Structures are given as C-alpha cells and as structure tokens.
Amino acid sequence: MTKEELWESVLAQLQFKVSKPNFATWLKNTRIVEKEKNKTSVAVPNTFSREWLSKKYHHLIFEVLREVAPQIKKIEYVIHKDLSSFQKATPKKTTAPKSIPSKTEQPSFEELSVNPRNNLNPRYTFKDFVVAPFNELAQASAWAVAKNPGHVYNPLLVYGGVGLGKTHLLQSVGNEIDQHSNLKIEYLPAGKLVSSIVASIRNASIEELKHRFYDLDVLIIDDVQFLAGKEKTQEEFFHIFNNLYEKNKQIILSSDRPPSAIATLEKRLRSRFEGGMVADISQPDYESRLAILEAKAQELNLEIAEEILSYIANNIQHNIRELEGAINRIRAYQRLHEKEINLDRVRILLKDLIGAPRKATTPQKIFTSVASFYNLNQQDLFSATRKKEVAWPRQVAMYLLRKELRKSFPNIGSIFGGKDHTTVLYAFNKIEKQIESDEQIAGEIHLIRQRIYSE
Ligand code: ADP
Ligand code: MG
C-alpha cells in the first residue's frame, strides 16, 4: 500500500469517528509525507494544527492507523506550510476500482459548504430525499410549502426522532425556494437563535437583530425544542414570529417532539407552533430502510448484494444517519480492498453499529439526560417540590433507574432523599402504563433513552 492509499483509508475511517466540522478543520488537509517501516510522518498546515492533532486526536488516529497498518508504532506530526499548494502539486492517486466513476471519488470528504447568504447547506435537496410512508406526510407538506411559500401551511412544523431527516427536509425547502426565486431565506438552528438573541440583548442591539429577521421572506428554525426554558428568547422570538406571520412570510420549524411535549414552552408560542401544519416523521419500517440503503448505495455507485442490504436494514432500525454510516463503511472497505464485500465481513465491519451490547450506563448519565431533556437543573430532580414540571421528570428518572440499571425500589427511594419504596413503585407502574397507552409518552422516553446511550 502506498502512503497515499494508507492515509486515504485512515481518513475514510476517521470521518465516521469525528464530527464533520472537526473533520474538515483538522483532518481533511493532512497527508502522510513519509512512511518508514514502523513510523509515519503526517503533514499538517501549522503549529496550531499540530498541537491540536497531537493533543486531541492522536489517540484516535493511532488507533485507526494501527487497524490498517499494524506495524506502525509511531506517528509524527510535521508542519508543511505550503500544505495547500503541496496538495495540488501531488494530485491524489485514486484507489477506486475502475468501475467507480471519478465523480464519486470523494463525495463524503466534501467541504462543509454552507451558503453564507442563507446558512443553507446545498447538499440537502428534495432530489436526494427518499420518500416512504414514515415521512410521506412531512415531505408532502414541505414540498407544498416550497412551491408556495407563505400561502399553504404557516408555520410548517416537522417533528421526529434523532437522525430521521428533519434537518435534511427543512433545508431542502430552503434550497428549493432559493433556486426558484429571489426570496430572502435564513436557516438557523434554534441554539444559534438563542445565542444571537442573548448576545444582542447584552449589547443592546436586539432591535437591530429583530429587524434583520423582519426583512426575511422565509425563516427556518431547526430544533425548536432548544427554546424550552429560554424565556427571554421565547419572548423575542414571539415578536419575530408574529411580524413575519402577519406579512404571510413563511416560517418553518423542526422539533424532536410535538410542541405540546416541549416543557416550558410559553403557551402563546406553543399555540403559534400548532397553528399551522404539524407533520411528524415516524420510525421507518423495514421496506423504507431498505429503500434508503439502496438509494444511498446508488448515489455512491456502489454495488452491494441484496443480502447485505437486508442484513443492515434488519439491524439498524432507528436512525437514517446510521444507515448512511453503514454504507459509507462498506464503501471505504471496497475501495481499499478493491473487491466486493461479503456478509461475514459486513458483520465485522458494522459490529459497533449493530447488535453491540448496549453500552453500560450510570445513574449520573440518567440524571443528566433526564434533566437536560426537560430543561431542568439536575438538583431539581432531588428537590422536595411537587410541581408538575419537576415531579414528572423525577418519576421518569426513577423509572429509568429501575429499567436500565435494575436498581431496587428501596435503593431508588433512598437516592431521591429517602422516599418510600412504594412511591417509587407507583411512579414506575404509572410510567410503564403510560408508555403503553400513550404514543407521545413512549416517544418521549425513547428520546431520553437515546440521549442516555449516545456518546
Ligand atoms: P435529523 O435532523 O432528524 O436529526 P438529518 O436530517 O440530519 O436528521 O438526517 C440524518 C442523515 O440522514 C442525513 O445525512 C440525511 O441526509 C439522511 N437522511 C435522512 N432522511 C433521509 C431520507 N428520507 N432520504 C435520504 N437521506 C435521508
Ligand atoms: Mg437535525
């Protein structure tokens, strides 16, 4: 294996282990410049990168490198000031089998190219969005809005679990409108909205900020559940919302749960959110998962046996991002080995995505996940208050301690400040029952579990 090939396969693996922006910032522009028997030198553009890579990513890089080239015992980071021109001077040798056209040579290394005019990522389009029963309603509503912004459903709110396509769909609407009109569009994750509002209140420029929003034709806010508990932001956003709404400007929102389940969302804002079209994306069924896998494989010009696709569709059930991850790994493997992959290989390759025994969790992780989900301080869970906003999360925490960690009822009682075991038992039964009878509660608990087991 040449050093280029070696590094390419290391990067291919690293992409799955590092967030996209981090990958683009720290790893993308690196090269192996020297490879000896058991040592390699990796070129980085400057001192800062060198520090960062050796402090934060060395362990990971080393681990991945050793998987591909076990003989390597040492990595050195060296500065190549001209790294960008250096790249151009030595065009990348492709290791792709001949059958893969060069267009798809490195799509997953793509720049995180966000359009600075409207914050939209052009990668998200309707064209690449697979429509199936689980997302049909949301897609159709989004499409209708894209074709007639401000006049069909206002606002449009799409909700659904993690990795099911909310961001993709919202941004597709923005991109579609942008392509066919001169309307002024802005996409903003709710977390960013909160920080802009907070900052502009601090430096007394909130009116200016609001007027910037008033100027828009289409405002897209992703993950509005993050507005929960942010009273000042909600108040300002209420004004922005009304101003746009009254002028028939389009507002598009997403959330990981229905508005009625966003704790501490002001009533008037909730009713605004519910006032237009609320469309959910549910869990994809087997056929839908298979269709998505096929679409993704085709997009990358990959031939993957039916048996393998069906294995993945059977085993990855809750998250489209993970389906994509599986396809990308297979692609990396096929590129490296220049041969088709078989099912046994796939099983090994996807071991940590599929059927991995559930990672152990801790009471601490349960407390933080529950508290952050309901936007509480963790101490609140242990306080004596009986207020509903706190009592319910506390019962959920009790339920999860039992369910996930098999803690005894008396033990859970004492964790929560000496409560009687019957109190815990009551909470446990109540929640268990509600999960069965109330889809929304079941979804809520599912989301909290996802948080507990993420990272
Ligand atoms: P969410 O915002 O709901 O967490 P994303 O929109 O980020 O989910 O989707 C996760 C990944 O799955 C993205 O890479 C997205 O392109 C892809 N994806 C989601 N839904 C679809 C779909 N229906 N068709 C094709 N790709 C999809
Ligand atoms: Mg999202």
Side-chain angles (χ1 to χ4, degrees):
M1 207 186 320
T2 68
K3 56 183 194 281
E4 284 81 7
E5 286 165 345
L6 171 63
W7 196 237
E8 191 179 2
S9 65
V10 168
L11 289 183
Q13 298 274 333
L14 284 172
Q15 297 183 74
F16 308 124
K17 310 198 176 211
V18 176
S19 76
K20 257 190 175 175
N22 276 323
F23 184 83
T25 314
W26 305 112
L27 293 161
K28 201 166 160 261
N29 289 321
T30 54
R31 291 285 173 275
I32 291 189
V33 281
E34 210 181 313
K35 185 177 124 204
E36 294 169 22
K37 192 157 171 296
N38 49 18
K39 187 182 120 186
T40 81
S41 303
V42 174
V44 298
N46 51 44
T47 332
F48 189 50
S49 300
R50 186 176 64 187
E51 287 277 287
W52 196 260
L53 279 185
S54 46
K55 286 222 179 78
K56 301 270 181 185
Y57 290 113
H58 176 72
H59 190 70
L60 186 65
I61 295 174
F62 195 51
E63 194 182 284
V64 171
L65 188 66
R66 289 284 302 268
E67 267 172 35
V68 190
Q71 76 281 9
I72 288 176
K73 304 268 183 309
K74 190 162 178 228
I75 307 176
E76 249 178 25
Y77 301 94
V78 293
I79 298 171
H80 268 244
K81 289 224 163 55
D82 56 342
L83 199 62
S84 42
S85 48
F86 162 83
Q87 269 173 274
K88 278 183 210 123
T90 41
K92 248 184 158 188
K93 184 174 161 283
T94 171
T95 55
K98 298 282 171 297
S99 62
I100 298 181
S102 60
K103 179 182 152 278
T104 57
E105 216 166 279
Q106 286 209 315
S108 39
F109 285 6
E110 90 206 1
E111 291 276 8
L112 193 76
S113 53
V114 167
N115 183 338
R117 201 159 35 81
N118 50 28
N119 261 330
L120 290 165
N121 186 333
R123 152 177 132 76
Y124 294 117
T125 60
F126 279 109
K127 186 169 67 45
D128 294 325
F129 191 82
V130 179
V131 189
F134 74 102
N135 61 18
E136 201 176 3
L137 174 67
Q139 195 273 353
S141 319
W143 179 253
V145 164
K147 290 295 119 188
N148 203 350
H151 297 283
V152 264
Y153 306 124
N154 210 10
L156 167 65
L157 185 143
V158 174
Y159 76 89
V162 180
L164 291 180
K166 300 183 296 295
T167 296
H168 189 142
L169 196 55
L170 259 60
Q171 295 221 18
S172 299
V173 179
N175 281 318
E176 183 73 21
I177 297 175
D178 192 44
Q179 247 183 28
H180 294 103
S181 73
N182 291 321
L183 295 182
K184 260 190 156 164
I185 306 164
E186 181 153 339
Y187 166 86
L188 211 56
K192 280 229 178 96
L193 176 71
V194 175
S195 50
S196 315
I197 290 183
V198 170
S200 70
I201 291 175
R202 196 174 305 134
N203 56 34
S205 59
I206 180 73
E207 288 308 314
E208 245 174 276
L209 180 77
K210 283 200 288 195
H211 279 92
R212 219 191 72 218
F213 283 118
Y214 295 165
D215 225 25
L216 294 171
D217 299 297
V218 180
L219 175 60
I220 307 175
I221 305 285
D222 207 351
D223 290 316
V224 292
Q225 74 274 6
F226 288 123
L227 301 182
K230 315 280 187 325
E231 283 159 32
K232 196 66 197 160
T233 302
Q234 290 187 24
E235 191 184 322
E236 300 300 348
F237 185 58
F238 183 72
H239 295 302
I240 298 170
F241 187 104
N242 284 343
N243 181 291
L244 294 176
Y245 180 82
E246 275 157 21
K247 295 184 298 195
N248 282 333
K249 305 295 186 184
Q250 181 69 48
I251 299 155
I252 308 169
L253 311 163
S254 83
S255 164
D256 69 355
R257 62 199 96 165
S260 57
I262 306 180
T264 62
L265 181 67
E266 249 189 274
K267 233 201 207 127
R268 54 179 188 170
L269 209 47
R270 173 175 307 158
S271 73
R272 286 289 185 281
F273 288 179
E274 287 170 336
M277 174 69 160
V278 178
D280 77 320
I281 300 186
S282 55
Q283 295 289 331
D285 50 40
Y286 172 81
E287 285 77 16
S288 304
R289 300 196 295 271
L290 198 61
I292 287 171
L293 288 168
E294 276 163 0
K296 300 277 167 192
Q298 202 171 20
E299 214 174 282
L300 295 170
N301 259 303
L302 280 182
E303 296 227 1
I304 303 177
E306 196 60 42
E307 154 189 68
I308 292 176
L309 293 180
S310 122
Y311 170 78
I312 302 172
N314 263 316
N315 287 284
I316 299 182
Q317 305 186 337
H318 302 296
N319 187 325
I320 296 173
R321 190 172 292 120
E322 287 179 4
L323 290 176
E324 269 181 350
I327 293 284
N328 283 333
R329 279 192 203 183
I330 291 178
R331 170 167 170 272
Y333 178 92
Q334 297 200 155
R335 289 181 58 136
L336 185 61
H337 298 274
E338 304 202 0
K339 65 174 184 207
E340 259 197 48
I341 196 163
N342 62 29
L343 187 53
D344 286 337
R345 243 316 126 193
V346 171
R347 284 208 174 90
I348 298 171
L349 204 61
L350 304 183
K351 204 168 56 206
D352 59 320
L353 274 181
I354 288 175
R358 207 172 232 192
K359 279 182 272 173
T361 189
T362 59
Q364 187 48 48
K365 189 83 199 169
I366 292 180
F367 302 144
T368 25
S369 306
V370 170
S372 80
F373 185 85
Y374 293 107
N375 238 290
L376 296 173
N377 290 321
Q378 213 172 291
Q379 303 90 283
D380 296 341
L381 292 177
F382 305 99
S383 70
T385 174
R386 289 166 183 235
K387 275 196 290 185
K388 193 167 144 255
E389 305 90 80
V390 178
W392 171 256
R394 186 187 295 130
Q395 292 180 326
V396 169
M398 290 176 172
Y399 170 82
L400 289 166
L401 281 174
R402 171 70 188 171
K403 206 70 182 173
E404 306 303 303
L405 292 172
R406 305 258 131 234
K407 297 256 180 230
S408 74
F409 293 120
N411 183 206
I412 298 172
S414 67
I415 290 175
F416 286 93
K419 291 205 164 23
D420 195 74
H421 76 274
T422 52
T423 310
V424 183
L425 185 62
Y426 169 80
F428 181 85
N429 287 336
K430 171 175 144 190
I431 292 186
E432 186 110 297
K433 237 195 247 141
Q434 295 212 16
I435 290 176
E436 269 169 36
S437 60
D438 185 335
E439 220 173 280
Q440 193 170 307
I441 304 263
E444 203 169 304
I445 304 292
H446 173 73
L447 281 166
I448 298 171
R449 272 216 182 82
Q450 274 189 340
R451 288 185 185 212
I452 293 176
Y453 291 103
S454 68
E455 280 135 38

